[in-house]
Amino acid sequence: MSTSFQGEEEQWIEADGNGNVAEQEEDILGSLFADPDPTDVFFFEFGSNIKIPLRGIKAENGQTLHSTGLTLWRASHLLCNYLVSHTKEIVENKTILELGAGLGLCGILAHKLGTRSVVLTDGDTDTLAEMRHNVLINTNQTTEKQDGSKISTITCRQLRWGRNVDTFFEQQKQVQTAINERWNGYDIIMGSDIIYVEEIIEPLFQTVVTLLGKDGKFLLAYARRNVSIDLVFACAQRHDLTWTVNCPDNNGEGIFIFERRLSL
């Protein structure tokens, strides 16, 4: 079974939703001095068997991009390392959703590590195009069931947090039940470097609690930027989530693992 929702997507560029007139004028001025060759190919190796090339924009141009997902940010490396070191309990045979997947590194890695299925999402149209290219060159996107039909085990979807999330859930339930008849939410939701302004925290967690399975986990790879982690914790608490912290360097950056609060 292969179901495509790509025709339902809307044109949306990240900066259009967050910018203002002054910033747009600065962007126009900055484009006069832009890098004449901003593209790059990133290469990643995990162990001896997993090699992932990605096409995107040079990291040094990241702060000037209209679509931040077109390059790689440091928290994605934290998340990749965590997936590799916790493959059996976090990845193998799990249904995974990645939010703000960007170029697709973490989702592609999860696919190669043996997840049952993974859906990479982003809201930005340009980012989705690059993500789909990277998925295409790195993966075998389908697997054959016993009845001979084929199902997609890694897909790319547009998802803007807090918008039409219930519809997204129902569409994904239709797809996921072809893989797991009892699916009722993702085993793992993950995201890296996805919190950069306060305004997106609430729609992010609204999206997470709608799509997360009863016993699921939300992995947030956090790098310090302009938003305090305390604001993230406060929002998680409002949504009745608990959390544990994995910060190996004790610098406030690392993997934060959110779960639904247990009912008494």
Side-chain angles (χ1 to χ4, degrees), residues 51-116:
K51 296 178 173 59
I52 302 176
L54 298 175
R55 186 179 72 185
I57 300 297
K58 295 175 183 175
E60 58 264 31
N61 294 325
Q63 296 295 339
T64 64
L65 291 175
H66 288 250
S67 307
T68 58
L70 290 174
T71 193
L72 291 168
W73 303 90
R74 66 179 181 270
S76 62
H77 305 292
L78 296 175
L79 183 54
C80 284
N81 290 337
Y82 189 84
L83 295 178
V84 170
S85 60
H86 295 78
T87 297
K88 288 192 177 297
E89 64 265 40
I90 295 296
V91 180
E92 287 185 2
N93 208 32
K94 304 293 186 183
T95 59
I96 296 181
L97 174 73
E98 184 175 9
L99 302 176
L103 298 180
L105 175 62
C106 300
I108 292 170
L109 175 61
H111 173 76
K112 289 180 176 290
L113 288 172
T115 185
R116 177 176 297 182

Side-chain angles (χ1 to χ4, degrees), residues 2 11 21 27 33 95 99 103 147 152-153 211 235 250 252:
S2 178
Q11 179 73 20
V21 173
D27 288 341
F33 305 97
T95 59
L99 302 176
L103 298 180
D147 62 7
S152 297
T153 54
L211 300 176
C235 188
N250 295 317

Side-chain angles (χ1 to χ4, degrees), residues 7 34 40 118 123 177 199 260:
D40 201 357
V118 58
T177 50
E199 290 77 11
R260 297 185 190 276

Side-chain angles (χ1 to χ4, degrees), residues 206-250:
Q206 288 175 359
T207 300
V208 168
V209 296
T210 300
L211 300 176
L212 190 65
K214 178 182 177 182
D215 298 317
K217 301 178 188 293
F218 170 41
L219 309 182
L220 175 66
Y222 175 81
R224 289 180 295 173
R225 300 207 180 275
N226 300 319
V227 181
S228 168
I229 192 64
D230 291 334
L231 295 174
V232 177
F233 292 156
C235 188
Q237 194 166 28
R238 289 196 299 272
H239 286 280
D240 213 23
L241 298 174
T242 62
W243 59 89
T244 55
V245 180
N246 185 292
C247 295
D249 295 327
N250 295 317

